[in-house]
Amino acid sequence: METTHRVFVGDSRDLSRVADDSVELVVTSPPYPMIEMWDDLFTELDPAIGDALASGDGRGAFEAMHAQLEAVWDELERVLVDGGIACINVGDATRSVDGSFRVYQNHARVLEAFEERGFEPLPDVLWRKPANSAAKFMGSGMIPPNAYVTLEHEYVLIFRNGGTSRTFEPRADRRYEAAYFWEERNRWFSDVWTDVTGELQAIDIVDDELRERSAAYPLEIPYRLICMYSAYGDTVLDPFWGTGTTTLAAMCAGRHSVGVELEDGLLELFDDRVDEVPALSRSVGRARLERHRSFVEQRRAEGGSLEYEADYYETPVVTKMERGIRLRRVQSVDRTDDGYLVEHAPLACER
Ligand SMILES: C[S@@+](CC[C@H](N)C(=O)[O-])C[C@H]1O[C@@H](n2cnc3c(N)ncnc32)[C@H](O)[C@@H]1O
């Protein structure tokens, strides 16, 4: 099986290189309005943003930044198939402007913008970033009432393009082979993810310094979302591509992808490391199988039912729907004129 991964340097406010109705899933994380690291970028997109910030008009800057994102959301509505899903990872921002501290609720503003464009909101996910600083409450003191809660979560806002879900031909292999394990379903489809541990991040090919500078999300986030909301053969778009984590996840998950990024240097960095993807994809797949085996042992110990046998792996599964699960691994990655051609093989049952 082959997948294609196109990556363009460009401005996603105009996605004319992506055809109408050619994408089944969007997984992305935009620059977050009112987070200082993105002020210059937003000001380049619209100089009035810099003026608003300089004059202490926080609310005006926030609105103008979201207007830039909205131009991209318009494009998503065009390129996504009916029933296609958009997963937008976004965090709120706390900031003092003109001496006044407040939270700028990016998640609420993005929700509103998608609803206005005819997307149907679906239940979202709140995830906790791996804990960092013990000094997070520094300066907040021990006396009420003027301390503030620390923001340690982000949202994955999930939308369907239009009112109806996608349909597939009966018993479509590309859907049944892309099934996930029962216990994965229970973790992934929970509305609060406290288990994004950075486990996959450790085998990610993006180093820590680059991750920090580019605000890359852990590989686990797009990998999970791609497994949850797309089938084999589908195309995943990331209009704010950054270090290419979504493309990496799509390669590992055996889906096609398209990415668009303003900064050409990020594409070169990705290209330098792409030869490591076959090893990464094997680790990701093996980690899932290993985790399933641990689950099976625990379930047996607890006397829970495991009624079915998987077709392609020597392991029992809980439900009939999981029998067809067939993970993919990347065999080779070849460069093309506009990205990469990836050859996949089924991930064999290895111990
Ligand atoms: C939060 S980062 C994305 C990080 C990415 N998820 C990753 O894991 O590396 C946002 C990215 O969007 C890019 N960007 C911002 N506005 C853009 C636009 N209008 N068109 C294309 N890329 C844009 C920025 O250069 C930045 O790399």
Side-chain angles (χ1 to χ4, degrees):
M1 185 187 86
E2 284 177 352
T3 56
T4 57
H5 302 268
R6 296 186 300 143
V7 193
F8 303 116
V9 175
D11 185 338
S12 290
R13 291 176 298 176
D14 172 7
L15 283 177
S16 48
R17 281 197 273 190
V18 184
D20 294 3
D21 301 318
S22 63
V23 165
E24 282 80 17
L25 173 66
V26 171
V27 175
T28 197
S29 185
Y32 301 168
M34 300 308 278
I35 294 279
E36 281 174 48
M37 75 175 279
W38 300 115
D39 285 358
D40 291 345
L41 183 144
F42 277 116
T43 301
E44 267 169 44
L45 298 178
D46 176 7
I49 291 171
D51 298 340
L53 288 170
S55 67
D57 179 8
R59 185 75 216 174
F62 175 72
E63 276 305 316
M65 290 178 188
H66 276 281
Q68 307 314 307
L69 301 184
E70 286 183 354
V72 180
W73 310 149
D74 281 336
E75 287 288 74
L76 298 192
E77 199 268 326
R78 177 182 67 77
V79 301
L80 257 180
V81 297
D82 286 344
I85 301 286
C87 300
I88 313 296
N89 183 85
V90 71
D92 293 337
T94 48
R95 184 154 178 177
S96 294
V97 180
D98 212 16
S100 171
F101 175 88
R102 57 163 287 184
V103 62
Y104 290 90
Q105 289 185 309
N106 289 318
H107 81 280
R109 189 63 185 70
V110 171
L111 256 171
E112 193 183 296
F114 271 78
E115 271 209 84
E116 274 168 12
R117 283 159 181 76
F119 285 87
E120 299 284 358
L122 300 177
D124 53 37
V125 171
L126 208 139
W127 66 279
R128 271 197 101 117
K129 293 179 267 190
N132 37 26
S133 163
K136 63 186 182 183
F137 297 121
M138 280 250 284
S140 70
M142 303 303 152
I143 38 174
N146 294 335
Y148 307 112
V149 162
T150 310
L151 288 183
E152 289 177 283
H153 62 277
E154 302 209 352
Y155 296 83
V156 179
L157 302 175
I158 303 170
F159 304 97
R160 190 182 53 232
N161 194 19
T164 47
S165 306
R166 289 171 62 198
T167 52
F168 290 80
E169 59 283 13
R171 298 293 319 163
D173 281 348
R174 73 187 194 92
R175 196 178 177 204
Y176 280 82
E177 290 189 5
Y180 28 81
F181 292 113
W182 180 83
E183 69 281 6
E184 287 178 328
R185 192 277 313 266
N186 294 347
R187 278 194 303 126
W188 295 353
F189 284 87
S190 136
D191 61 345
V192 183
W193 291 352
T194 49
D195 60 338
V196 179
T197 55
E199 197 178 302
L200 287 190
Q201 194 173 312
I203 48 167
D204 197 341
I205 64 175
V206 175
D207 67 42
D208 287 347
E209 198 239 310
L210 179 59
R211 174 176 302 287
E212 188 83 8
R213 213 159 28 89
S214 57
Y217 44 30
L219 180 64
E220 221 161 319
I221 297 282
Y223 182 79
R224 240 182 231 199
L225 294 168
I226 289 169
C227 293
M228 290 165 72
Y229 293 111
S230 70
Y232 289 132
D234 284 352
T235 297
V236 184
L237 166 68
D238 188 344
F240 299 105
W241 192 74
T243 59
T245 318
T246 306
T247 288
L248 268 183
M251 287 176 170
C252 292
R255 273 65 160 184
H256 304 280
S257 75
V258 188
V260 183
E261 169 56 46
L262 278 175
E263 281 202 39
D264 54 356
L266 290 171
L267 276 71
E268 283 162 31
L269 283 171
F270 183 90
D271 195 64
D272 287 345
R273 295 157 185 226
V274 81
D275 295 335
E276 296 170 39
V277 173
L280 175 68
S281 77
R282 271 196 308 277
S283 318
V284 170
R286 282 180 187 161
R288 284 182 67 185
L289 291 178
E290 210 41 59
R291 205 166 182 153
H292 178 68
R293 288 190 183 110
S294 304
F295 159 78
V296 166
E297 274 172 30
Q298 194 186 336
R299 194 162 170 93
R300 279 194 176 125
E302 289 167 357
S305 71
L306 286 157
E307 277 185 44
Y308 300 91
E309 276 298 316
D311 294 340
Y312 300 105
Y313 299 103
E314 283 173 28
T315 181
V317 289
V318 178
T319 64
K320 206 170 169 177
M321 263 185 278
E322 295 160 79
R323 286 184 314 180
I325 291 180
R326 201 170 200 193
L327 305 183
R328 305 276 198 257
R329 68 178 172 82
V330 171
Q331 224 168 3
S332 62
V333 181
D334 289 314
R335 289 167 179 83
T336 60
D337 289 345
D338 59 2
Y340 305 92
L341 182 67
V342 172
E343 181 68 40
H344 299 264
L347 183 76
C349 187
E350 299 164 52
R351 285 222 168 240

